[in-house]
Amino acid sequence: MKGRQEIGKRIKELRREHKFSQKFVAERLFISQAAYSLIESSQNGIVAEHIVNLSKLYDVTTDYLLKGDKFVIKMSISNGFVPYIGVSAHAGFIENYNSEAPLDNYDWYRIPGFNPTQNQKLFEVEGNSMAPTILSGDVVICQTQRKLENVLDGSLVLIITKESILVKRIRLNEDPGSLILENDNVEDDNEREQIEIKKQDIRELMMVRGKISGVLVPHHEIASKGKIKALEDALEMLKKEVYKLNKKIAAISH
């Protein structure tokens, strides 16, 4: 009973801090104001679905609502974390693209020395069509560009369509309704493979802001092509950092 009272007290305090009415919160939980009032007064318990919805409404963790634990690190952009979509998750990401919260099931990582902003994601690259600029297994840091007219010729982008996720170089087209996608993996510019894509077929276009290399390239390859910059930290470093954070969280919890 004490746990129920503490939960009721916390959600009541959060509602007042945000200056929401009981009716407003009840509507977002799809219940009546009377039913919500009974939850706040601890006369009724609260179901898991309502806990999740309240955590989103107030931008707090479910652990805080249930236990009052303020020391849990919330995986979000505001805390320096970026969602990571690996190759094995590409199909699921495309399939659930229009879902209300498509990133909830993905891992989040914090990149040392990098402060993310809104609409950024990490994507693992598949295939060598963009070598030597980007290699298969590299992870690119991308940011959504909502105005296609602002994309500059030659920009490196990640494009999400209904069928696939592509990392390509953009070439502007005479047709304002389409773009030309180009690979980097050829020596002769005249032999570059080009694909035309209609702007209406693009679900989302993201600018590639950087990469995390998952591949070790022999020194002589780097020197001979002169196109690959010094390799950044491997993705494994990100996993280790998250592991360390989880250990700290576990230590605090106990």
Side-chain angles (χ1 to χ4, degrees):
M1 182 66 179
K2 184 178 179 181
R4 181 187 296 181
Q5 291 176 341
E6 292 298 322
I7 292 173
K9 180 181 177 181
R10 277 191 288 275
I11 64 175
K12 184 176 183 178
E13 289 175 348
L14 285 168
R15 178 178 61 77
R16 287 180 170 177
E17 286 175 8
H18 287 76
K19 298 181 180 179
F20 293 156
S21 66
Q22 285 192 346
K23 180 180 178 182
F24 176 86
V25 178
E27 287 175 350
R28 272 135 192 86
L29 299 182
F30 302 101
I31 58 177
S32 67
Q33 181 179 345
Y36 175 76
S37 178
L38 292 175
I39 294 174
E40 272 197 5
S41 63
S42 308
Q43 296 181 57
N44 277 354
I46 185 168
V47 299
E49 181 183 357
H50 294 164
I51 288 288
V52 172
N53 287 337
L54 287 172
S55 75
K56 293 178 180 178
L57 177 64
Y58 296 123
D59 193 26
V60 297
T61 65
T62 55
D63 272 15
Y64 174 72
L65 293 174
L66 292 169
K67 300 182 294 184
D69 192 344
K70 296 182 178 181
F71 297 103
V72 174
I73 296 177
K74 185 177 177 62
M75 300 293 187
S76 68
I77 289 286
S78 61
N79 283 339
F81 290 89
V82 190
Y84 165 70
I85 297 93
V87 168
S88 61
H90 283 192
F93 179 83
I94 294 171
E95 182 180 350
N96 298 307
Y97 181 78
N98 290 322
S99 300
E100 182 177 339
L103 300 177
D104 286 356
N105 296 325
Y106 298 102
D107 293 329
W108 289 66
Y109 293 97
R110 177 181 283 166
I111 306 171
F114 176 75
N115 294 318
T117 59
Q118 291 295 328
N119 301 316
Q120 289 189 336
K121 300 180 183 70
L122 301 172
F123 283 90
E124 183 183 5
V125 176
E126 182 178 24
N128 287 308
S129 65
M130 293 307 295
T133 312
I134 297 176
L135 305 178
S136 184
D138 284 351
V139 176
V140 290
I141 305 167
C142 303
Q143 183 167 19
T144 300
Q145 172 57 266
R146 302 200 182 280
K147 296 182 178 180
L148 298 185
E149 62 270 19
N150 291 344
V151 179
L152 299 177
D153 185 66
S155 297
L156 194 59
V157 300
L158 182 140
I159 289 179
I160 301 169
T161 71
K162 291 182 179 180
E163 291 79 28
S164 59
I165 295 174
L166 307 169
V167 177
K168 299 291 180 183
R169 195 169 297 282
I170 283 288
R171 294 299 178 192
L172 301 184
N173 196 9
E174 293 181 0
D175 177 5
S178 66
L179 295 170
I180 299 294
L181 307 183
E182 190 175 79
N183 294 340
D184 274 4
N185 64 345
V186 291
E187 295 295 335
D188 186 349
D189 286 344
N190 294 325
E191 296 179 359
R192 291 184 184 277
E193 179 186 359
Q194 293 186 333
I195 304 169
E196 185 174 359
I197 184 171
K198 298 292 184 184
K199 289 183 179 179
Q200 64 186 29
D201 295 332
I202 297 175
R203 280 182 163 183
E204 187 172 357
L205 184 144
M206 307 188 77
M207 306 298 297
V208 175
R209 300 300 187 190
K211 75 167 184 176
I212 303 160
S213 179
V215 180
L216 294 178
V217 180
H219 181 270
H220 68 273
E221 282 192 34
I222 298 176
S224 63
K225 294 189 177 180
K227 294 183 180 179
I228 303 180
K229 296 181 179 179
L231 297 177
E232 300 171 30
D233 295 328
L235 180 60
E236 190 61 28
M237 291 184 65
L238 302 182
K239 294 181 180 179
K240 288 181 180 179
E241 181 171 353
V242 173
Y243 175 73
K244 290 178 183 178
L245 286 171
N246 287 334
K247 287 185 69 176
K248 290 180 181 179
I249 293 169
I252 294 171
S253 299
H254 293 295

